[in-house]
Amino acid sequence: MDNEVAFVVVAGDLYDGNWKTISTGRYMATALGRLKAHGIEVFILQGNHDAASVLTRDLPLQAGIERFPSQKPGSFQIDELGVALHGQACHRHVPHDMTPAYPAPIPGYFNIGVLHTSLSSHGQHETYAPTTPETLRAKGYDYWALGHVHERMILQEGAPIVFPGVLQGRHIRETGEKGVILVSVTDHRIETITPIPCDVVRWHEERFDCTGLELDSAFQDQLGATFRSIAETHEGHLCVTRLILYGETALHERLRRQGPALRETLHHLAAMSGGEIELEKLVLETSPLAAIATPAMSEEEPFALAGLVRDAVKDDTLLNEIGKDLDLCLKTLNLGDIAPDSLLARIDRRDWASFLPELSEALCDRLTGKGDAS
């Protein structure tokens, strides 16, 4: 009504199955009544979810609210606009292409084909009345209004073939803006094809790269900026967001240990975004930093290290420094009962010069794999 459209086309699935309560029909009757009151005609084609074989209750339709027949294709002409609409209502399962039976275009009219179809095939959607863009364009119509696929898709090479998608995303698999398509036509020529958002709640999936982040403060700053960007992009909508954290990061273990505390932090950051963001789910796909490989020791290095230890015996200054370091280590050990004249006895006496040469040989054997590893 705001755009003063001449008529509305519904290409199937006005309802998602049978009514659960009578209020479903009452709501739709009110909406259709408003369009009729403004002189806007409505042309409805039933799809697989609201086929006559599925619905046990339906609306009584008045003049100006038209429904395509189900037994064979039918046409409606709006003579004052020079528009002809062609379509056929669907049954619950249609495994074949329905378009060969559609009528030829009416000369001198802007011809619109209305079809509920999965086209060639489309992702998670059930294959339904399959056809191809080439087959549709071969009919010679000026525009194809399609239903069944929930994502918006506009093919404009030749006569436009358009899936407007659903009016409102229902779950996280239906992300992004949802709404209708406004088509402007002048003298039987399409001027514009414009998506018009109608959704109130918007579903969004955000992948946040944690690679290289080492501090909680950096993580929170960058994530806060991401939430502000989401709020700006989806301004005026409640944005239900699935957040996926990924990448190699020093925060990996900390993020996994935080549990509810992390979710609380994310909720606070989302609340400070300036928009309406609710966290639908948090998915942790981070990984720890890759271990840095230690270079293998060369064959000469163990002998060089052992040689340094032997040389320390001859250098009083170096021996004294080594003794200080060893003394600190020994103070942390409980050596227990020590046999006289044993190596431990010499260690306990801090007799560094007497046992360091022996230790250098043992160290060399251990590093080269010749010593006892037990």
Side-chain angles (χ1 to χ4, degrees):
M1 291 183 287
D2 291 342
N3 290 283
E4 300 181 345
V5 301
F7 58 92
V8 172
V9 177
V10 179
D13 294 348
L14 190 59
Y15 309 109
D16 187 14
N18 206 13
W19 302 354
K20 291 182 171 58
T21 68
I22 193 64
S23 61
T24 302
R26 187 178 297 119
Y27 178 87
M28 186 54 61
T30 300
L32 293 174
R34 291 176 62 202
L35 292 173
K36 180 176 170 57
H38 282 76
I40 300 172
E41 292 187 88
V42 181
F43 299 91
I44 301 172
L45 183 145
Q46 290 172 285
N48 58 316
H49 287 288
D50 61 353
S53 60
V54 172
L55 297 180
T56 58
R57 290 183 286 191
D58 201 359
L59 294 176
L61 301 182
Q62 300 181 12
I65 311 294
E66 307 292 347
R67 180 176 287 158
F68 287 95
S70 59
Q71 297 304 313
K72 64 179 182 178
S75 299
F76 295 102
Q77 294 180 216
I78 311 175
D79 294 328
E80 62 272 22
L81 297 177
V83 172
L85 300 101
H86 315 281
Q88 181 179 355
C90 299
H91 300 285
R92 180 66 185 90
H93 301 286
V94 179
H96 61 275
D97 187 354
M98 299 175 66
T99 59
Y102 273 45
I106 299 176
Y109 278 67
F110 185 84
N111 289 269
I112 300 174
V114 186
L115 179 67
H116 200 75
T117 176
S118 60
L119 212 55
S120 302
S121 64
H122 200 281
Q124 300 177 354
H125 297 284
E126 173 189 357
T127 298
Y128 190 88
T131 187
T132 66
E134 294 75 20
T135 301
L136 296 182
R137 291 189 174 114
K139 294 297 296 186
Y141 294 170
D142 300 289
Y143 182 93
W144 279 95
L146 306 185
H148 187 63
V149 173
H150 291 193
E151 294 81 30
R152 180 187 300 150
M153 184 172 70
I154 302 175
L155 304 178
Q156 289 188 282
E157 295 181 3
I161 298 172
V162 178
F163 283 106
V166 292
L167 296 175
Q168 170 64 64
R170 300 171 300 167
H171 45 67
I172 194 60
R173 295 192 301 278
E174 297 179 348
T175 58
E177 179 184 286
K178 303 297 180 184
V180 298
I181 297 293
L182 175 65
V183 182
S184 297
V185 178
T186 302
D187 296 329
H188 296 179
R189 294 178 62 86
I190 295 175
E191 299 288 343
T192 59
I193 298 176
T194 308
I196 303 293
C198 298
D199 51 346
V200 177
V201 177
R202 194 160 290 173
W203 298 83
H204 176 73
E205 181 177 284
E206 182 69 30
R207 291 185 62 82
F208 181 79
D209 190 358
C210 298
T211 300
L213 295 180
E214 298 180 355
L215 301 175
D216 286 346
S217 57
F219 169 75
Q220 293 172 14
D221 287 345
Q222 292 188 30
L223 192 52
T226 296
F227 280 137
R228 289 192 294 274
S229 177
I230 294 172
E232 183 178 345
T233 300
H234 303 289
E235 184 179 3
H237 292 80
L238 170 61
C239 191
V240 183
T241 301
R242 175 173 294 182
L243 181 63
I244 302 173
L245 304 180
Y246 72 99
E248 289 188 4
T249 174
L251 298 175
H252 170 73
E253 289 299 332
R254 180 169 176 78
L255 291 173
R256 292 192 173 276
R257 288 197 305 267
Q258 285 184 3
L262 176 58
R263 289 186 64 90
E264 184 175 328
T265 297
L266 298 177
H267 282 300
H268 288 165
L269 291 172
M272 291 186 287
S273 68
E276 290 186 88
I277 298 178
E278 289 293 334
L279 194 63
E280 180 260 353
K281 187 176 183 180
L282 171 63
V283 180
L284 292 177
E285 294 182 355
T286 57
S287 57
L289 295 175
I292 300 175
T294 303
M297 184 176 290
S298 68
E299 294 182 1
E300 294 80 10
E301 285 178 306
F303 298 101
L305 182 58
L308 288 174
V309 176
R310 288 194 299 270
D311 291 343
V313 178
K314 304 172 185 177
D315 187 331
D316 292 339
T317 302
L318 182 56
L319 185 62
N320 185 51
E321 292 299 322
I322 293 176
K324 290 179 181 179
D325 291 336
L326 292 175
D327 189 56
L328 291 174
C329 293
L330 289 172
K331 288 179 179 179
T332 66
L333 301 176
N334 180 10
L335 300 179
D337 296 331
I338 301 173
D341 299 325
S342 65
L343 178 59
L344 283 179
R346 283 183 284 164
I347 291 174
D348 193 43
R349 293 196 301 268
R350 277 46 172 182
D351 189 3
W352 315 123
S354 69
F355 66 78
L356 279 178
E358 296 179 37
L359 289 181
S360 70
E361 294 177 7
L363 178 62
C364 186
D365 288 343
R366 180 62 62 86
L367 291 177
T368 56
K370 297 178 181 179
D372 184 5
S374 62

